[in-house]
Amino acid sequence: MTDTLLFKGIDEPGLNTIDVYLARGGYTQLQRALKMKRGDLITELTGSGLRGRGGAGFPIGKKASFIPKGDMQKYVVCNADESEPGTFKDRELIQKNPHQLIEGLIIAAFAVDATINYIYIRGEYEQQADILDAAISEARDRGIIGENIFGSGFSVELELARGAGAYICGEETGLLDSLEGKRGNPRLKPPFPANEGLFNGPTLINNVETLSAIPSIIELGAEGYAAIGVKDSAGTKLVSISGNIERPGNYEVELGISSREIIYGLAGGPPDGRKIKCWFPGGSSTPVLTADDLDVGYDYDSIEAAGSMLGSGAIIVVDETQSVVELAYKLAKFYSHESCGKCTPCREGTRWTFHMVERIKEGTATPMDLDIMAAVQEQIIGHCLCVLGDAMAMPIGSLIAKFRDEFEAEIEANRNERERKLAAEFAAAEVEIEGISA
Amino acid sequence: MADVQRHVARFTHGSRIPGWDRAADLEKEPAVVPDAATTEVPGELRAAIEDAVRRFPVGDSAFIPALYAVQAQYGWCSPEGIEQAAAVLGRTPAALTAVATFYDMFEMEPLGRKSVYVCTNISCSLVGADQLLAALEEELGEDPDVNLRGFECLGACDIAPMASVDGVYVGPIELGEVPELANQIRQGDDPLPAKQLIRRPCADPKVAEQ
Ligand SMILES: Cc1cc2nc3c(=O)[nH]c(=O)nc-3n(C[C@H](O)[C@H](O)[C@H](O)COP(=O)(O)O)c2cc1C
Ligand code: SF4
Ligand code: FES
């Protein structure tokens, strides 16, 4: 079946060990790749049309071709920070098929001639880090990592680094700073990591799912892989689906499938036949879509045309019983907590947005606050070093734009509620005063 | 005068931040790299940090693993632990503290050794995470051994609402299971074994067909 590549045999017991992986034909694609010329390998990656699965959707072949040639130390860094709310696909790949990732990573390392490589995994994934660490040791013991692998003359090192709880370390330059043992503040770009990345060396940074797809590209050939999916969205994609949904989990789909097929067909729609109020198509950082957008194709261009982004491929479904104010509250709280504080619009914008949503909940907001909130979001977008600020501004902006009447109704209801409470307290106090004077 | 007013550090609600009018202590000795020869470092801690330096030889890359080692030794990033790590690494304690304070998983105060994180982010809160956290808080009470806290998305929204008990992910947790889970946390037993993520099959039906 063409649409199961990344998840092929994923639940086979012991797939995380090298013996089972080798028995299934593992590491043969690496051996084939090592016999290719570097330039041809990069052409192959470009031809596959594979786009980055971490969020930005940048073509991997193009990124690899930016890495300069020469004798300087180069690096491949795998981004396994996976902290985008709603996303949990890399976790399943690492936990159940770590060698597929290692194989893809070494192929990428060979393509750009990187001899020292890292996987940066979020600190909370302790069990997954242990599994990956064991897999790396196995590969090292079998000579798949080390000097002159498979007699190719190529030597490669790979280390696992653990984060310690910071969403911003998923941003590629924040990740590099964290890997260098610093606070994970993003860097000003340019220079881009391809020119000046880890320890100032040229660095290729890719997501777990992106690198895990590489063995399939070598196996099927660029054309074979590009034939899967739709124009400009080649291949299969893991979709993490969660929220108000019957069967949450990871599904591997061919890009271009209808969103309705994923949400209703695969995941069973919201429980108890409830209707969908809105859904995030690519993690919490992407603008929300509504039930009207369910027939949009699930691929980069179609989702963008619908006004959002494919992002990390995490669909969060919100049913009709949920409050949009509560949703905005959780969003603003998350991004204000995770803002690294380096840029004013992001640091202050996320914090003030959070305070304004808090006011709505407390019943002290007015409908005018919605305009201020929307204006704040506009002032964040495009004005920061990285896109964390935008990642709050876009979904919150879209919530206000699409559900303004619900915000207004809740502002009104909460105000009335608060006034009722105050009036009751006031009346009680008056009774007390009367009691005293009598 | 007006100028002075403008530079007073304030909280968002307007009041001045205590200490705003106190000058820096110019008498204080600058922090220095602790003397490796005289700083006593527990053997395990030293071994763990030296292993980290072997794995990450360039620059300060061993900082985060070193801080994990300190936390494993003392239960938190205690000043003495940081001092010891600084001695082994040949850096100032301030350099390490600056890094430690950035990350959510490093504790800068003594807390319970058992870490229980309950995810309260979007997907989990859509299916009752806030109620789960409140129920666990109630059940565990003020147990000094447990560091229970709400956490951002832990990357396991498929088992929402969920918790990480010392790195072991469990979910979906029903409110009725909270007393049992609290007991297992207190006793140090395996938390809700049948609900552990590590044992969960892939949701994609195509996988089972193969
Ligand atoms: C705030 C923020 C958080 C991010 N978090 C992640 C993450 O957890 N995992 C990831 O792979 N990419 C993340 N990214 C995207 C990375 O910056 C980068 O684009 C990606 O790792 C490149 O890999 P790819 O081309 O394979 O997608 C994040 C970006 C931003 C701005
Ligand atoms: S946009 Fe926010 S998170 Fe990104 S660098 Fe600026 S302050 Fe830090
Ligand atoms: S939202 Fe709770 S694990 Fe992702």
Side-chain angles (χ1 to χ4, degrees), chain A residues 168 171 184-187 335 338-347 350 380 383-390:
Chain A
I168 195 58
E171 197 281 335
N185 294 104
R187 304 173 180 174
Y335 291 101
E338 299 294 344
S339 167
C340 83
K342 198 165 174 172
C343 335
T344 313
C346 167
R347 182 187 62 239
T350 51
I380 295 173
H383 295 155
C384 303
L385 264 172
C386 82
V387 292
L388 184 139
D390 300 27

Side-chain angles (χ1 to χ4, degrees), chain B residues 11 54 97 108:
Chain B
F11 290 111
R54 257 192 303 280
T97 308
M108 302 311 288

Side-chain angles (χ1 to χ4, degrees), chain A residues 9 91 163 179 183 242 252, chain B residues 61 68 98 103 123 158 204 210:
Chain A
R91 182 205 76 209
L179 203 46
R183 296 163 71 88
S242 66
E252 181 167 6
Chain B
S61 287
Y68 269 120
Y103 297 93
S123 294
D158 45 347
D204 195 333
Q210 287 160 33

Side-chain angles (χ1 to χ4, degrees), chain B residues 182-194:
Chain B
N183 229 356
Q184 286 159 337
I185 293 169
R186 268 192 295 264
Q187 311 284 330
D189 293 342
D190 208 21
L192 302 179

Side-chain angles (χ1 to χ4, degrees), chain A residues 286-322:
Chain A
T286 58
V288 295
L289 297 176
T290 64
D292 298 337
D293 303 307
L294 282 170
D295 291 312
V296 169
Y298 200 75
D299 59 80
Y300 293 93
D301 293 349
S302 306
I303 297 279
E304 201 170 315
S308 190
M309 289 177 308
L310 193 86
S312 60
I315 297 181
I316 306 172
V317 179
V318 182
D319 77 23
E320 54 184 346
T321 62
Q322 305 289 340

